[in-house]
Structure formats: structure tokens, C-alpha cells
Amino acid sequence: VVIGADAAGMTAATQARRRRGPDDLEIVAFEKGQHVSYSACGIPYVVAGDVDGLERLVVRTPEEFQSKNQIDVRTGQEVTEIDLERRAVHVNGTWEPFDQLMVGTGAVPIRPDLPGAQSVGIYGVQTLDDGAALLAELERKPQRAVVVGGGYIGLEMAEAMVKRGIEVALVERGPQPMATLDPDMGALVADAMRGLGVDVRTNEAVVGFEADDGRVRAVATEHGTLPVDLVVLGIGVRPNVALAERAGIPLGPSGGIAVDRRQRTEVPGVWAGGDCCESFHRVSRRPVVIALGTHANKHGRVAGINIGGGYAAFGGVVGTAVSKVCDYEVARTGLGEREAERAGFEAVTATVESTTRAGYFPGTKQLTVKVLAERRSGRLLGAQIVGREGAAKRIDVFATALWNNMTVDDALGMDLSYAPPFAPLWDPVLIAARKAWDAVEAGPVS
Ligand SMILES: Cc1cc2nc3c(=O)[nH]c(=O)nc-3n(C[C@H](O)[C@H](O)[C@H](O)COP(=O)(O)OP(=O)(O)OC[C@H]3O[C@@H](n4cnc5c(N)ncnc54)[C@H](O)[C@@H]3O)c2cc1C
């Protein structure tokens, strides 16, 4: 039995099926929403009008799972209880027995515990059903919207709504949006948002929502009241673990379901993957919950292979993420300054400005690269990139270096490619690593 029929759940189901045929293993997936196997990542682009219709985001329908994989996917069916003694899940008034259970319940958008937060017109964006509700809301021709919180989904949604001609304010409690970046890099993102016409309000906390007849009409902040027709929550997500927790499936210290490297929970025959569970962070050496499709699909693959009788292990994460905000590409991997400190590292940093192509080559764009390395050892700890087209995917070089525990000394000598249409002679990755090496040599600035 699979609970939650999206990235983690359905990848596990299909991988298990590849190893065990329908006569050997019956697979039933329960999905409380109306869609399965979809790319939630595409929702902001549908809202923006860049992608034509939510149905384009559906990778495989329940009918296709049935005909191609002999997997019985049941939509509109919420699992309300897991009974580990009985080894059954409660759904639609009946108990469905299982031998193996895959929990892939995802994450839920954090809803602030503030007056009026349950009003109509306040949206978290997580599932395709949320996307459909938001599109229906756009039919009402909203004029003004507020995005609460500057997480990457909030920023993508802000941009999408601007493209729809809506006046957007972004209210962020912290010093800069995009708290997964260090504030100096987040400031570049804030500038890009302002350039798009978004009213970016930082160091300003939302204190409540005012409603008329149950529908949100204004957002109250520490500094004033913003009239709105629509609110989008962008303060992040938390793992959706209530069902598992009630059943007694142990959680880890970061609040996600605790799993081992084979995606096994502590309960025999119960597996978990995706946004609802923890991953091991290879740099901080700690369990973390990082809600990304990249991890969910890999967790699902590992769980499914193991459920099917094979052997697979998940190698962990290094915290790599990329997104696009206006014309800017934003990427990060490893640890930021605060995270490095919390993990017990003393870090030095280096920030460089460079270009995506040779300086003279048509279409070359600016980018800023920041690198963190451990003082004295020079071990790479993290990197962040903000720049225009051609900037962001360079983060994958840093991610690979982090994955392999490289130092800045190793990194600055890497044999990276060069020709004028692709990079300056010294790729920005190498320039940043060189400067980080200088910083390691010099030690901390007193
Ligand atoms: C707007 C947006 C943009 C994103 N962009 C990116 C991106 O660019 N890159 C990236 O890597 N990731 C991105 N993500 C994150 C990515 O979509 C998720 O990490 C991924 O979908 C997680 O997969 P999952 O299977 O763990 O959970 P989900 O995709 O959330 O699926 C869980 C499913 O479980 C169902 N469910 C929950 N409880 C029950 C129950 N009790 N009974 C039955 N069904 C249940 C839910 O309805 C849901 O369909 C984005 C997410 C959003 C929302």
C-alpha cells in the first residue's frame, strides 16, 4: 500500500513493480487529491501563463498506471489511520491490509497561527489541487495580492502574479527574502524583485489578516495595513507526518519521519520517502528535512527497489537547490553562513563578480558567486550563485565537489571547460574557489 500518489509514492510503486510482477505483488496507491504523479514545481509557471494548463504537469494518470504498470491508483481517497498492529490502513470507511507500506504524504504549507489566517482567499501552494484553486481565484480578477514570506515558492508565485497584472507586495520578516541564501546574496534577489515592480517589505512581520464575510480583505503587518484580494503563503512547508506520528512511526530530530539509508522507518515493513521524511546531510552530518522533488524521486526509487526485493541506498543530500526569480537565476548548495556556524564549522567566505561567457562575447551576463570554506582545512562548505541566464547550473559543479568532500585547493584546479560562448577562461567557479583559497590562507578577518 502506498499513501500519497506523487513523486515519492509513485516512484516507489513503479520501482517495486519492475522487480515484482502483478501476480507476486499487488500495489494499491491512495491519493486524497484528484491528481497523481504531477509536477508541483510547474504550478507557478501555469499561474504565470508560461505553461498552458495544469494538466500539462501531470506525468502519468491513474489509468496509465493501471494499464502500463498494473498499479491500482485510487484518487479522492484519504488514508485517515494506519494501524500497525493490524497492518492495515483506514480509508473510505474500510480497512485495507498491507504487507509493506510506503508513506509518501509529502509536506504541507506552513499556515501562520495568526488572527484571520483561515480566511477564504489565503492560499498555500503545494498540490495540483491548490494550483487549481488558485487559478479559479484568478478568474475573480484580483487587483492586489500579498505574498507572506520570501521562500522560493513565494517568490515564484509573486513573479507569476505580476505577470498576470496583479499588484504584488511581498512581506518578509527577515532581513532579505530567500532565507536559504545568506543575506548579502538575498539582497540581490530583493533588488531583482523590486525591479519587477514587487513591493518588497523586509524586516516586517505579518500580525494578522482582516476579513469581510470570511474573505480576506487586508493583511496587517507591524508597520501598517495592506488591502488585498488574495494572499499567497510563502513561509515554507513542514513534513506532513501527522498520520504517521499518530500511528507510532518514529520521527527524527528534524521533524520528518526517521529513515535509514534504505528508506526504512523504524517499523518493519514500513517505508517513507519524499518531503515527509528526513535525509542525511553530507556536510553538516545531521538529519534534515528538505522538501524538494530531487530528493523525493530518489527516496522513492530507493524505497521501491528495496520493497521489490533489491538493494539500494540513498546517499544523502548536500542542500542543492535552484530557482528563477525574474531574470535572475538563484542557486545554492551546502551550508550558508548560519548553517555552517550551527554545524560547528568556522567558515571563511569569498564573493566574486564574473560573467557567464567571455566578457567580449555577445549575450554575456553578470553573476555573483559566493563560496564558504572551513577555516584552516579549506574544506568546501557551501556555495551560492545569483546571476542572469547561464549562471545557476554552475552550482552543480560545487555540489559535486561538496559531495566528494573537496577542499577549495582541489576545486580551484578542476579541469573545467572553456570556450568564449560558454565561460570566461577562468570559469566563475574557479575564480570563486581561488578567492576562497586566499581567504583560507589569510584566516579570519579580525
Ligand atoms: C510550487 C512548487 C514549486 C516547486 N518547485 C520545485 C523545484 O523547482 N525543484 C524541486 O526539486 N522541487 C520543487 N518543489 C518541491 C516538490 O514538488 C516536492 O518536493 C515533491 O513534490 C515532493 O514529493 P512527495 O511525493 O514527497 O510529496 P507530494 O508531491 O506533496 O505528494 C504527496 C501526496 O500525498 C497526498 N496525501 C497526503 N496525505 C495523504 C493521505 N492521508 N491519504 C492520501 N493521500 C495523501 C497529497 O495529496 C499529495 O498528492 C516545488 C513544490 C511546489 C509546491
Side-chain angles (χ1 to χ4, degrees), residues 3-4 6-8 30-33 38 40-41 44 77-79 104-107 125-126 152-153 156 240 243 274-275 291-294 296:
I3 310 176
D6 192 27
F30 294 106
E31 168 54 50
K32 71 175 177 186
Y38 50 85
C41 317
Q77 305 221 1
E78 179 171 2
V79 173
T105 44
V125 187
Q126 183 64 20
Y152 80 97
I153 292 177
E156 288 176 358
N240 184 10
L243 182 68
D275 292 358
L292 284 176
T294 45

PDB file of all heavy atoms in Angstrom, residues 3-4 6-8 30-33 38 40-41 44 77-79 104-107 125-126 152-153 156 240 243 274-275 291-294 296, ligand 1:
ATOM      1  N   ILE A   3       0.743   5.435   0.441  1.00  0.00           N
ATOM      2  CA  ILE A   3      -0.083   6.587   0.852  1.00  0.00           C
ATOM      3  C   ILE A   3       0.534   7.828   0.235  1.00  0.00           C
ATOM      4  O   ILE A   3       1.669   8.193   0.548  1.00  0.00           O
ATOM      5  CB  ILE A   3      -0.135   6.749   2.383  1.00  0.00           C
ATOM      6  CG1 ILE A   3      -0.481   5.433   3.066  1.00  0.00           C
ATOM      7  CG2 ILE A   3      -1.153   7.829   2.754  1.00  0.00           C
ATOM      8  CD1 ILE A   3      -0.461   5.522   4.602  1.00  0.00           C
ATOM      9  N   GLY A   4      -0.239   8.486  -0.656  1.00  0.00           N
ATOM     10  CA  GLY A   4       0.257   9.682  -1.334  1.00  0.00           C
ATOM     11  C   GLY A   4       0.836   9.299  -2.681  1.00  0.00           C
ATOM     12  O   GLY A   4       1.888   8.656  -2.756  1.00  0.00           O
ATOM     13  N   ASP A   6       2.273  10.781  -5.382  1.00  0.00           N
ATOM     14  CA  ASP A   6       3.048  11.693  -6.233  1.00  0.00           C
ATOM     15  C   ASP A   6       4.499  11.201  -6.317  1.00  0.00           C
ATOM     16  O   ASP A   6       4.736   9.996  -6.421  1.00  0.00           O
ATOM     17  CB  ASP A   6       2.933  13.138  -5.727  1.00  0.00           C
ATOM     18  CG  ASP A   6       3.466  14.141  -6.741  1.00  0.00           C
ATOM     19  OD1 ASP A   6       3.432  13.839  -7.952  1.00  0.00           O
ATOM     20  OD2 ASP A   6       3.934  15.218  -6.343  1.00  0.00           O
ATOM     21  N   ALA A   7       5.438  12.120  -6.248  1.00  0.00           N
ATOM     22  CA  ALA A   7       6.834  11.777  -6.595  1.00  0.00           C
ATOM     23  C   ALA A   7       7.365  10.566  -5.836  1.00  0.00           C
ATOM     24  O   ALA A   7       7.763   9.562  -6.448  1.00  0.00           O
ATOM     25  CB  ALA A   7       7.714  12.992  -6.340  1.00  0.00           C
ATOM     26  N   ALA A   8       7.382  10.645  -4.512  1.00  0.00           N
ATOM     27  CA  ALA A   8       7.987   9.552  -3.738  1.00  0.00           C
ATOM     28  C   ALA A   8       7.139   8.283  -3.852  1.00  0.00           C
ATOM     29  O   ALA A   8       7.662   7.196  -4.133  1.00  0.00           O
ATOM     30  CB  ALA A   8       8.132   9.965  -2.271  1.00  0.00           C
ATOM     31  N   PHE A  30      -3.143   5.140  -2.552  1.00  0.00           N
ATOM     32  CA  PHE A  30      -4.259   6.015  -2.182  1.00  0.00           C
ATOM     33  C   PHE A  30      -3.812   7.471  -2.257  1.00  0.00           C
ATOM     34  O   PHE A  30      -2.769   7.833  -1.688  1.00  0.00           O
ATOM     35  CB  PHE A  30      -4.735   5.706  -0.762  1.00  0.00           C
ATOM     36  CG  PHE A  30      -5.328   4.336  -0.645  1.00  0.00           C
ATOM     37  CD1 PHE A  30      -4.630   3.315  -0.017  1.00  0.00           C
ATOM     38  CD2 PHE A  30      -6.580   4.061  -1.180  1.00  0.00           C
ATOM     39  CE1 PHE A  30      -5.166   2.044   0.078  1.00  0.00           C
ATOM     40  CE2 PHE A  30      -7.127   2.791  -1.091  1.00  0.00           C
ATOM     41  CZ  PHE A  30      -6.421   1.780  -0.466  1.00  0.00           C
ATOM     42  N   GLU A  31      -4.600   8.274  -2.931  1.00  0.00           N
ATOM     43  CA  GLU A  31      -4.279   9.697  -3.085  1.00  0.00           C
ATOM     44  C   GLU A  31      -5.522  10.499  -2.707  1.00  0.00           C
ATOM     45  O   GLU A  31      -6.585  10.305  -3.281  1.00  0.00           O
ATOM     46  CB  GLU A  31      -3.867   9.992  -4.537  1.00  0.00           C
ATOM     47  CG  GLU A  31      -3.795  11.458  -4.891  1.00  0.00           C
ATOM     48  CD  GLU A  31      -2.905  12.292  -3.963  1.00  0.00           C
ATOM     49  OE1 GLU A  31      -1.751  11.908  -3.716  1.00  0.00           O
ATOM     50  OE2 GLU A  31      -3.399  13.337  -3.469  1.00  0.00           O
ATOM     51  N   LYS A  32      -5.351  11.404  -1.752  1.00  0.00           N
ATOM     52  CA  LYS A  32      -6.540  12.151  -1.304  1.00  0.00           C
ATOM     53  C   LYS A  32      -6.971  13.209  -2.322  1.00  0.00           C
ATOM     54  O   LYS A  32      -8.131  13.588  -2.368  1.00  0.00           O
ATOM     55  CB  LYS A  32      -6.307  12.756   0.075  1.00  0.00           C
ATOM     56  CG  LYS A  32      -5.343  13.904   0.129  1.00  0.00           C
ATOM     57  CD  LYS A  32      -5.300  14.478   1.535  1.00  0.00           C
ATOM     58  CE  LYS A  32      -4.275  15.587   1.598  1.00  0.00           C
ATOM     59  NZ  LYS A  32      -4.064  16.100   2.930  1.00  0.00           N
ATOM     60  N   GLY A  33      -6.037  13.677  -3.131  1.00  0.00           N
ATOM     61  CA  GLY A  33      -6.383  14.685  -4.133  1.00  0.00           C
ATOM     62  C   GLY A  33      -6.924  14.043  -5.401  1.00  0.00           C
ATOM     63  O   GLY A  33      -7.143  12.835  -5.464  1.00  0.00           O
ATOM     64  N   TYR A  38       2.316  14.267 -10.489  1.00  0.00           N
ATOM     65  CA  TYR A  38       2.311  15.580 -11.139  1.00  0.00           C
ATOM     66  C   TYR A  38       3.572  16.343 -10.741  1.00  0.00           C
ATOM     67  O   TYR A  38       4.234  16.000  -9.757  1.00  0.00           O
ATOM     68  CB  TYR A  38       1.071  16.386 -10.716  1.00  0.00           C
ATOM     69  CG  TYR A  38       0.858  16.442  -9.224  1.00  0.00           C
ATOM     70  CD1 TYR A  38       1.496  17.401  -8.440  1.00  0.00           C
ATOM     71  CD2 TYR A  38       0.044  15.518  -8.585  1.00  0.00           C
ATOM     72  CE1 TYR A  38       1.309  17.450  -7.067  1.00  0.00           C
ATOM     73  CE2 TYR A  38      -0.137  15.547  -7.208  1.00  0.00           C
ATOM     74  CZ  TYR A  38       0.494  16.514  -6.461  1.00  0.00           C
ATOM     75  OH  TYR A  38       0.331  16.542  -5.101  1.00  0.00           O
ATOM     76  N   ALA A  40       4.455  19.521  -9.155  1.00  0.00           N
ATOM     77  CA  ALA A  40       4.024  20.731  -8.442  1.00  0.00           C
ATOM     78  C   ALA A  40       4.953  21.895  -8.789  1.00  0.00           C
ATOM     79  O   ALA A  40       4.542  23.058  -8.760  1.00  0.00           O
ATOM     80  CB  ALA A  40       4.028  20.478  -6.938  1.00  0.00           C
ATOM     81  N   CYS A  41       6.196  21.555  -9.140  1.00  0.00           N
ATOM     82  CA  CYS A  41       7.201  22.582  -9.454  1.00  0.00           C
ATOM     83  C   CYS A  41       6.726  23.494 -10.583  1.00  0.00           C
ATOM     84  O   CYS A  41       7.190  24.630 -10.706  1.00  0.00           O
ATOM     85  CB  CYS A  41       8.517  21.926  -9.861  1.00  0.00           C
ATOM     86  SG  CYS A  41       8.985  20.535  -8.831  1.00  0.00           S
ATOM     87  N   PRO A  44       3.756  27.486 -10.434  1.00  0.00           N
ATOM     88  CA  PRO A  44       3.926  28.931 -10.630  1.00  0.00           C
ATOM     89  C   PRO A  44       3.942  29.325 -12.113  1.00  0.00           C
ATOM     90  O   PRO A  44       3.490  30.416 -12.480  1.00  0.00           O
ATOM     91  CB  PRO A  44       5.279  29.226  -9.976  1.00  0.00           C
ATOM     92  CG  PRO A  44       5.482  28.118  -8.993  1.00  0.00           C
ATOM     93  CD  PRO A  44       4.841  26.917  -9.605  1.00  0.00           C
ATOM     94  N   GLN A  77      -9.154   9.569  -2.217  1.00  0.00           N
ATOM     95  CA  GLN A  77      -9.252   8.630  -1.091  1.00  0.00           C
ATOM     96  C   GLN A  77      -8.156   8.944  -0.076  1.00  0.00           C
ATOM     97  O   GLN A  77      -6.976   8.681  -0.322  1.00  0.00           O
ATOM     98  CB  GLN A  77      -9.100   7.197  -1.589  1.00  0.00           C
ATOM     99  CG  GLN A  77     -10.101   6.877  -2.671  1.00  0.00           C
ATOM    100  CD  GLN A  77     -10.687   5.482  -2.520  1.00  0.00           C
ATOM    101  OE1 GLN A  77     -10.355   4.755  -1.600  1.00  0.00           O
ATOM    102  NE2 GLN A  77     -11.566   5.120  -3.425  1.00  0.00           N
ATOM    103  N   GLU A  78      -8.590   9.494   1.041  1.00  0.00           N
ATOM    104  CA  GLU A  78      -7.624   9.892   2.067  1.00  0.00           C
ATOM    105  C   GLU A  78      -7.459   8.784   3.107  1.00  0.00           C
ATOM    106  O   GLU A  78      -8.451   8.300   3.662  1.00  0.00           O
ATOM    107  CB  GLU A  78      -8.113  11.168   2.761  1.00  0.00           C
ATOM    108  CG  GLU A  78      -7.162  11.612   3.846  1.00  0.00           C
ATOM    109  CD  GLU A  78      -7.490  12.977   4.411  1.00  0.00           C
ATOM    110  OE1 GLU A  78      -8.502  13.586   3.982  1.00  0.00           O
ATOM    111  OE2 GLU A  78      -6.745  13.426   5.298  1.00  0.00           O
ATOM    112  N   VAL A  79      -6.245   8.421   3.357  1.00  0.00           N
ATOM    113  CA  VAL A  79      -5.973   7.463   4.441  1.00  0.00           C
ATOM    114  C   VAL A  79      -6.066   8.239   5.752  1.00  0.00           C
ATOM    115  O   VAL A  79      -5.374   9.245   5.941  1.00  0.00           O
ATOM    116  CB  VAL A  79      -4.577   6.822   4.278  1.00  0.00           C
ATOM    117  CG1 VAL A  79      -4.228   5.973   5.494  1.00  0.00           C
ATOM    118  CG2 VAL A  79      -4.527   5.986   3.001  1.00  0.00           C
ATOM    119  N   GLY A 104       4.235   8.322   1.625  1.00  0.00           N
ATOM    120  CA  GLY A 104       4.747   9.410   0.769  1.00  0.00           C
ATOM    121  C   GLY A 104       3.786  10.579   0.819  1.00  0.00           C
ATOM    122  O   GLY A 104       3.298  11.052  -0.209  1.00  0.00           O
ATOM    123  N   THR A 105       3.504  11.034   2.051  1.00  0.00           N
ATOM    124  CA  THR A 105       2.442  12.037   2.255  1.00  0.00           C
ATOM    125  C   THR A 105       2.898  13.470   2.001  1.00  0.00           C
ATOM    126  O   THR A 105       2.101  14.398   2.140  1.00  0.00           O
ATOM    127  CB  THR A 105       1.872  11.911   3.692  1.00  0.00           C
ATOM    128  OG1 THR A 105       2.973  11.770   4.599  1.00  0.00           O
ATOM    129  CG2 THR A 105       0.982  10.690   3.823  1.00  0.00           C
ATOM    130  N   GLY A 106       4.170  13.668   1.668  1.00  0.00           N
ATOM    131  CA  GLY A 106       4.606  15.000   1.252  1.00  0.00           C
ATOM    132  C   GLY A 106       4.720  15.997   2.391  1.00  0.00           C
ATOM    133  O   GLY A 106       5.030  15.644   3.528  1.00  0.00           O
ATOM    134  N   ALA A 107       4.483  17.251   2.036  1.00  0.00           N
ATOM    135  CA  ALA A 107       4.603  18.341   3.016  1.00  0.00           C
ATOM    136  C   ALA A 107       3.332  19.176   2.979  1.00  0.00           C
ATOM    137  O   ALA A 107       2.524  19.043   2.056  1.00  0.00           O
ATOM    138  CB  ALA A 107       5.804  19.216   2.654  1.00  0.00           C
ATOM    139  N   VAL A 125       0.527  26.865  -1.514  1.00  0.00           N
ATOM    140  CA  VAL A 125       0.643  26.207  -2.819  1.00  0.00           C
ATOM    141  C   VAL A 125       1.470  24.945  -2.635  1.00  0.00           C
ATOM    142  O   VAL A 125       2.661  25.019  -2.363  1.00  0.00           O
ATOM    143  CB  VAL A 125       1.338  27.135  -3.847  1.00  0.00           C
ATOM    144  CG1 VAL A 125       1.294  26.508  -5.233  1.00  0.00           C
ATOM    145  CG2 VAL A 125       0.703  28.500  -3.849  1.00  0.00           C
ATOM    146  N   GLN A 126       0.839  23.799  -2.766  1.00  0.00           N
ATOM    147  CA  GLN A 126       1.570  22.565  -2.566  1.00  0.00           C
ATOM    148  C   GLN A 126       1.185  21.492  -3.580  1.00  0.00           C
ATOM    149  O   GLN A 126       2.024  20.899  -4.222  1.00  0.00           O
ATOM    150  CB  GLN A 126       1.350  22.050  -1.127  1.00  0.00           C
ATOM    151  CG  GLN A 126       2.118  20.798  -0.777  1.00  0.00           C
ATOM    152  CD  GLN A 126       3.625  21.006  -0.815  1.00  0.00           C
ATOM    153  OE1 GLN A 126       4.098  22.137  -0.736  1.00  0.00           O
ATOM    154  NE2 GLN A 126       4.382  19.937  -0.976  1.00  0.00           N
ATOM    155  N   TYR A 152      11.294  30.357  -1.797  1.00  0.00           N
ATOM    156  CA  TYR A 152      11.368  30.372  -3.260  1.00  0.00           C
ATOM    157  C   TYR A 152       9.992  30.206  -3.912  1.00  0.00           C
ATOM    158  O   TYR A 152       9.718  30.797  -4.954  1.00  0.00           O
ATOM    159  CB  TYR A 152      12.379  29.338  -3.774  1.00  0.00           C
ATOM    160  CG  TYR A 152      11.877  27.911  -3.826  1.00  0.00           C
ATOM    161  CD1 TYR A 152      11.383  27.373  -4.993  1.00  0.00           C
ATOM    162  CD2 TYR A 152      11.878  27.104  -2.693  1.00  0.00           C
ATOM    163  CE1 TYR A 152      10.916  26.062  -5.043  1.00  0.00           C
ATOM    164  CE2 TYR A 152      11.419  25.813  -2.731  1.00  0.00           C
ATOM    165  CZ  TYR A 152      10.938  25.293  -3.903  1.00  0.00           C
ATOM    166  OH  TYR A 152      10.466  24.008  -3.957  1.00  0.00           O
ATOM    167  N   ILE A 153       9.087  29.446  -3.263  1.00  0.00           N
ATOM    168  CA  ILE A 153       7.755  29.282  -3.859  1.00  0.00           C
ATOM    169  C   ILE A 153       7.007  30.618  -3.816  1.00  0.00           C
ATOM    170  O   ILE A 153       6.357  31.019  -4.778  1.00  0.00           O
ATOM    171  CB  ILE A 153       6.962  28.163  -3.143  1.00  0.00           C
ATOM    172  CG1 ILE A 153       7.626  26.810  -3.431  1.00  0.00           C
ATOM    173  CG2 ILE A 153       5.499  28.145  -3.583  1.00  0.00           C
ATOM    174  CD1 ILE A 153       6.998  25.620  -2.728  1.00  0.00           C
ATOM    175  N   GLU A 156       8.431  32.765  -6.603  1.00  0.00           N
ATOM    176  CA  GLU A 156       7.960  32.333  -7.927  1.00  0.00           C
ATOM    177  C   GLU A 156       6.496  32.740  -8.120  1.00  0.00           C
ATOM    178  O   GLU A 156       6.094  33.172  -9.199  1.00  0.00           O
ATOM    179  CB  GLU A 156       8.109  30.809  -8.069  1.00  0.00           C
ATOM    180  CG  GLU A 156       9.555  30.362  -8.210  1.00  0.00           C
ATOM    181  CD  GLU A 156       9.756  28.837  -8.250  1.00  0.00           C
ATOM    182  OE1 GLU A 156       8.772  28.075  -8.140  1.00  0.00           O
ATOM    183  OE2 GLU A 156      10.907  28.415  -8.373  1.00  0.00           O
ATOM    184  N   ASN A 240       4.533  16.434   6.260  1.00  0.00           N
ATOM    185  CA  ASN A 240       3.166  16.013   6.588  1.00  0.00           C
ATOM    186  C   ASN A 240       3.240  14.654   7.290  1.00  0.00           C
ATOM    187  O   ASN A 240       3.172  13.611   6.649  1.00  0.00           O
ATOM    188  CB  ASN A 240       2.367  15.926   5.285  1.00  0.00           C
ATOM    189  CG  ASN A 240       0.912  15.598   5.521  1.00  0.00           C
ATOM    190  OD1 ASN A 240       0.437  15.615   6.661  1.00  0.00           O
ATOM    191  ND2 ASN A 240       0.200  15.300   4.453  1.00  0.00           N
ATOM    192  N   LEU A 243      -0.283  11.731  10.274  1.00  0.00           N
ATOM    193  CA  LEU A 243      -0.829  10.374  10.165  1.00  0.00           C
ATOM    194  C   LEU A 243       0.188   9.343  10.682  1.00  0.00           C
ATOM    195  O   LEU A 243      -0.142   8.463  11.484  1.00  0.00           O
ATOM    196  CB  LEU A 243      -1.136  10.120   8.687  1.00  0.00           C
ATOM    197  CG  LEU A 243      -1.750   8.807   8.280  1.00  0.00           C
ATOM    198  CD1 LEU A 243      -3.169   8.693   8.810  1.00  0.00           C
ATOM    199  CD2 LEU A 243      -1.761   8.710   6.739  1.00  0.00           C
ATOM    200  N   GLY A 274      10.403  11.158   0.397  1.00  0.00           N
ATOM    201  CA  GLY A 274       9.907  12.457  -0.055  1.00  0.00           C
ATOM    202  C   GLY A 274       9.874  13.488   1.061  1.00  0.00           C
ATOM    203  O   GLY A 274      10.570  13.367   2.074  1.00  0.00           O
ATOM    204  N   ASP A 275       9.032  14.491   0.855  1.00  0.00           N
ATOM    205  CA  ASP A 275       9.001  15.646   1.757  1.00  0.00           C
ATOM    206  C   ASP A 275       8.633  15.293   3.193  1.00  0.00           C
ATOM    207  O   ASP A 275       8.859  16.090   4.096  1.00  0.00           O
ATOM    208  CB  ASP A 275       7.972  16.676   1.255  1.00  0.00           C
ATOM    209  CG  ASP A 275       8.383  17.347  -0.043  1.00  0.00           C
ATOM    210  OD1 ASP A 275       9.487  17.048  -0.541  1.00  0.00           O
ATOM    211  OD2 ASP A 275       7.591  18.172  -0.545  1.00  0.00           O
ATOM    212  N   ALA A 291      12.424  19.852   1.469  1.00  0.00           N
ATOM    213  CA  ALA A 291      11.307  19.447   0.616  1.00  0.00           C
ATOM    214  C   ALA A 291      11.614  19.769  -0.837  1.00  0.00           C
ATOM    215  O   ALA A 291      11.344  20.868  -1.317  1.00  0.00           O
ATOM    216  CB  ALA A 291      10.037  20.171   1.073  1.00  0.00           C
ATOM    217  N   LEU A 292      12.198  18.815  -1.533  1.00  0.00           N
ATOM    218  CA  LEU A 292      12.495  19.017  -2.951  1.00  0.00           C
ATOM    219  C   LEU A 292      12.179  17.761  -3.747  1.00  0.00           C
ATOM    220  O   LEU A 292      12.396  16.640  -3.271  1.00  0.00           O
ATOM    221  CB  LEU A 292      13.964  19.372  -3.154  1.00  0.00           C
ATOM    222  CG  LEU A 292      14.379  20.802  -2.806  1.00  0.00           C
ATOM    223  CD1 LEU A 292      15.876  20.973  -2.965  1.00  0.00           C
ATOM    224  CD2 LEU A 292      13.629  21.831  -3.652  1.00  0.00           C
ATOM    225  N   GLY A 293      11.723  17.994  -4.966  1.00  0.00           N
ATOM    226  CA  GLY A 293      11.407  16.881  -5.851  1.00  0.00           C
ATOM    227  C   GLY A 293      12.633  16.037  -6.163  1.00  0.00           C
ATOM    228  O   GLY A 293      12.528  14.829  -6.376  1.00  0.00           O
ATOM    229  N   THR A 294      13.802  16.673  -6.180  1.00  0.00           N
ATOM    230  CA  THR A 294      15.035  15.927  -6.469  1.00  0.00           C
ATOM    231  C   THR A 294      15.215  14.794  -5.459  1.00  0.00           C
ATOM    232  O   THR A 294      15.562  13.675  -5.824  1.00  0.00           O
ATOM    233  CB  THR A 294      16.248  16.870  -6.407  1.00  0.00           C
ATOM    234  OG1 THR A 294      16.131  17.680  -5.239  1.00  0.00           O
ATOM    235  CG2 THR A 294      16.323  17.763  -7.618  1.00  0.00           C
ATOM    236  N   ALA A 296      12.771  13.591  -3.355  1.00  0.00           N
ATOM    237  CA  ALA A 296      11.584  12.728  -3.279  1.00  0.00           C
ATOM    238  C   ALA A 296      11.677  11.596  -4.306  1.00  0.00           C
ATOM    239  O   ALA A 296      11.365  10.439  -4.004  1.00  0.00           O
ATOM    240  CB  ALA A 296      10.313  13.556  -3.509  1.00  0.00           C
TER     241      ALA A 296
HETATM  242  C1  LIG B   1       5.016  25.461  -6.208  1.00  0.00           C
HETATM  243  C2  LIG B   1       6.093  24.443  -6.007  1.00  0.00           C
HETATM  244  C3  LIG B   1       7.267  24.532  -6.728  1.00  0.00           C
HETATM  245  C4  LIG B   1       8.278  23.581  -6.544  1.00  0.00           C
HETATM  246  N1  LIG B   1       9.433  23.689  -7.273  1.00  0.00           N
HETATM  247  C5  LIG B   1      10.408  22.740  -7.113  1.00  0.00           C
HETATM  248  C6  LIG B   1      11.589  22.790  -7.891  1.00  0.00           C
HETATM  249  O1  LIG B   1      11.753  23.683  -8.734  1.00  0.00           O
HETATM  250  N2  LIG B   1      12.546  21.829  -7.693  1.00  0.00           N
HETATM  251  C7  LIG B   1      12.381  20.815  -6.785  1.00  0.00           C
HETATM  252  O2  LIG B   1      13.259  19.946  -6.648  1.00  0.00           O
HETATM  253  N3  LIG B   1      11.247  20.749  -6.032  1.00  0.00           N
HETATM  254  C8  LIG B   1      10.272  21.671  -6.165  1.00  0.00           C
HETATM  255  N4  LIG B   1       9.116  21.593  -5.430  1.00  0.00           N
HETATM  256  C9  LIG B   1       9.008  20.540  -4.412  1.00  0.00           C
HETATM  257  C10 LIG B   1       8.495  19.243  -4.988  1.00  0.00           C
HETATM  258  O3  LIG B   1       7.321  19.449  -5.710  1.00  0.00           O
HETATM  259  C11 LIG B   1       8.243  18.293  -3.831  1.00  0.00           C
HETATM  260  O4  LIG B   1       9.442  18.158  -3.110  1.00  0.00           O
HETATM  261  C12 LIG B   1       7.781  16.939  -4.281  1.00  0.00           C
HETATM  262  O5  LIG B   1       6.562  17.017  -4.952  1.00  0.00           O
HETATM  263  C13 LIG B   1       7.627  16.041  -3.059  1.00  0.00           C
HETATM  264  O6  LIG B   1       7.108  14.819  -3.463  1.00  0.00           O
HETATM  265  P1  LIG B   1       6.368  13.915  -2.399  1.00  0.00           P
HETATM  266  O7  LIG B   1       5.917  12.727  -3.154  1.00  0.00           O
HETATM  267  O8  LIG B   1       7.197  13.740  -1.212  1.00  0.00           O
HETATM  268  O9  LIG B   1       5.125  14.777  -1.899  1.00  0.00           O
HETATM  269  P2  LIG B   1       3.940  15.477  -2.691  1.00  0.00           P
HETATM  270  O10 LIG B   1       4.311  15.796  -4.074  1.00  0.00           O
HETATM  271  O11 LIG B   1       3.469  16.592  -1.811  1.00  0.00           O
HETATM  272  O12 LIG B   1       2.853  14.332  -2.724  1.00  0.00           O
HETATM  273  C14 LIG B   1       2.256  13.861  -1.562  1.00  0.00           C
HETATM  274  C15 LIG B   1       0.861  13.426  -1.930  1.00  0.00           C
HETATM  275  O13 LIG B   1       0.296  12.760  -0.807  1.00  0.00           O
HETATM  276  C16 LIG B   1      -1.074  13.043  -0.765  1.00  0.00           C
HETATM  277  N5  LIG B   1      -1.512  12.739   0.596  1.00  0.00           N
HETATM  278  C17 LIG B   1      -1.105  13.346   1.739  1.00  0.00           C
HETATM  279  N6  LIG B   1      -1.697  12.769   2.804  1.00  0.00           N
HETATM  280  C18 LIG B   1      -2.491  11.795   2.326  1.00  0.00           C
HETATM  281  C19 LIG B   1      -3.355  10.852   2.930  1.00  0.00           C
HETATM  282  N7  LIG B   1      -3.522  10.801   4.251  1.00  0.00           N
HETATM  283  N8  LIG B   1      -4.029   9.989   2.148  1.00  0.00           N
HETATM  284  C20 LIG B   1      -3.864  10.011   0.798  1.00  0.00           C
HETATM  285  N9  LIG B   1      -3.066  10.900   0.156  1.00  0.00           N
HETATM  286  C21 LIG B   1      -2.377  11.765   0.923  1.00  0.00           C
HETATM  287  C22 LIG B   1      -1.128  14.506  -1.146  1.00  0.00           C
HETATM  288  O14 LIG B   1      -2.405  14.864  -1.625  1.00  0.00           O
HETATM  289  C23 LIG B   1      -0.063  14.588  -2.232  1.00  0.00           C
HETATM  290  O15 LIG B   1      -0.588  14.439  -3.544  1.00  0.00           O
HETATM  291  C24 LIG B   1       8.094  22.526  -5.613  1.00  0.00           C
HETATM  292  C25 LIG B   1       6.899  22.436  -4.888  1.00  0.00           C
HETATM  293  C26 LIG B   1       5.906  23.365  -5.085  1.00  0.00           C
HETATM  294  C27 LIG B   1       4.645  23.243  -4.291  1.00  0.00           C
END
